[in-house]
Amino acid sequence: MQNNTFPTSFVGQNLIKLSAVDSTNSFMKGIMSNSEPLPEGTVIMADNQYGGRGQAGNTWYAEPGKNLTFSVLLRPDFITPDQQFRLNMVVSTALMHTLRELCGEGAKTKWPNDIYFNDRKLGGVLIENTLSGSQIKASVIGIGLNVNQLSFDGDLGARATSLQIITGKPIELDLLLRSVCVQIELAYLKLRTGPVDSLYHDYVKDLYLYGENALYRQNGEIIEGMITGIAERGQLELTTSAGLKRFDFKEIEFLHKKN
Ligand code: BTN
């Protein structure tokens, strides 16, 4: 554990740096299930995450020492489980603030939480909430960002990118982590005190393919539509020739833009 100098009041103040771990999310949840109290805002990061977990049971690969792989603990007891998508919006908008400073308008959130630069994946977010009755007791927010990695194996080669590839310059990992922590705290405090409309607006404005015609697939069927909003529980809203349709995560696959 290390007391930190981030200019925040709680996010990243308790920073645990590990040289190697399977998954920072699993490690954080493990500490919590052994009933060791962790303060809200605790960050656990690893130089080498060798068993990183992604959404939908995927694996998250990151070359040791070159990328950011970390988890942040929040305790959002002021929202209900029905409102948990608001946490996705907090994290995405925070990442967009930091990334747009570094690489400009090409940075986008691909619903619900993939981080994209143009048509390539720059990062991902895995949020794991622990519910207790009508409350969210804890939210473990895992973030993986491709920072200084210059090549990606196999399939990823054609789909992934990193900040150094985009900007042509190496990025200092500690400074990037600091900036993301500052932005997460700001967006989270805004969620706690402010109107949700402004968070929604911030999230939607940087959404990949928002307002553009594109092709999607649902149960083998190709759908043409335009993302026109996000429902209260986080479903994707597509306006199609058959009207407005809503999709849960995993119900729909993004294909490509329609030229
Ligand atoms: C995805 O795009 O599928 C989400 C990837 C999330 C990866 C991060 S890296 C830090 C944290 N620990 C994990 O095991 N996963 C998340």
Side-chain angles (χ1 to χ4, degrees):
M1 171 165 152
Q2 177 187 317
N3 280 324
N4 212 343
T5 54
F6 288 174
T8 54
S9 60
F10 62 101
V11 176
Q13 287 302 315
N14 181 29
L15 175 64
I16 300 171
K17 284 186 172 182
L18 304 171
S19 51
V21 74
D22 54 349
S23 150
T24 56
N25 268 34
S26 304
F27 187 81
M28 185 175 265
K29 291 200 301 180
I31 297 181
M32 293 192 308
S33 68
N34 291 335
S35 355
E36 280 186 47
L38 279 179
E40 183 172 42
T42 293
V43 170
I44 298 182
M45 68 165 292
D47 292 335
N48 176 10
Q49 180 178 249
Y50 51 82
R53 296 186 290 110
Q55 291 181 37
N58 290 326
T59 303
W60 183 258
Y61 298 100
E63 194 181 324
K66 297 272 168 99
N67 300 295
L68 276 186
T69 47
F70 65 101
S71 303
V72 183
L73 174 65
L74 295 178
R75 298 192 187 280
D77 54 5
F78 54 92
I79 57 171
T80 65
D82 281 357
Q83 296 169 332
Q84 55 189 293
F85 191 75
R86 294 180 187 187
L87 296 170
N88 295 63
M89 296 201 283
V90 162
V91 181
S92 287
T93 54
L95 288 169
M96 283 303 118
H97 270 107
T98 294
L99 295 174
R100 287 185 152 225
E101 289 267 300
L102 289 167
C103 58
E105 305 248 310
K108 298 269 181 194
T109 298
K110 182 176 165 201
W111 174 86
N113 254 149
D114 278 355
I115 304 303
Y116 262 55
F117 183 80
N118 294 336
D119 292 316
R120 285 181 181 245
K121 188 151 167 164
L122 179 59
V125 178
L126 177 67
I127 301 183
E128 299 184 288
N129 293 327
T130 309
L131 308 182
S132 159
S134 59
Q135 271 201 328
I136 302 176
K137 227 170 78 185
S139 180
V140 173
I141 296 178
I143 300 175
L145 284 178
N146 302 332
V147 186
N148 294 321
Q149 184 164 338
L150 293 177
S151 62
F152 295 87
D153 287 345
D155 250 21
L156 280 178
R159 292 188 288 116
T161 191
S162 72
L163 285 171
Q164 186 169 349
I165 294 173
I166 297 163
T167 62
K169 287 179 288 197
I171 310 276
E172 226 183 285
L173 295 176
D174 284 347
L175 287 182
L176 184 62
L177 178 65
R178 169 190 163 114
S179 166
V180 172
C181 286
V182 167
Q183 292 303 333
I184 288 179
E185 182 167 301
L186 284 173
Y188 184 64
L189 292 177
K190 208 162 147 188
L191 171 67
R192 186 140 76 185
T193 53
V196 73
D197 292 9
S198 112
L199 179 65
Y200 175 85
H201 174 79
D202 280 358
Y203 175 76
V204 162
K205 85 175 169 39
D206 297 333
L207 214 46
Y208 179 69
L209 293 182
Y210 183 78
E212 291 181 55
N213 263 318
L215 299 177
Y216 300 84
R217 182 161 38 216
Q218 185 198 25
N219 295 332
E221 191 200 329
I222 308 288
I223 304 170
E224 184 182 337
M226 185 188 280
I227 300 175
T228 47
I230 301 294
E232 170 69 15
R233 284 172 177 235
Q235 297 111 318
L236 185 74
E237 292 182 341
L238 276 191
T239 298
T240 71
S241 55
L244 185 74
K245 295 189 173 196
R246 291 203 169 111
F247 300 92
D248 280 322
F249 180 55
K250 287 193 214 160
E251 258 182 4
I252 188 160
E253 183 190 342
F254 283 58
L255 293 179
H256 47 75
K257 287 182 200 175
K258 194 164 154 42
N259 298 311

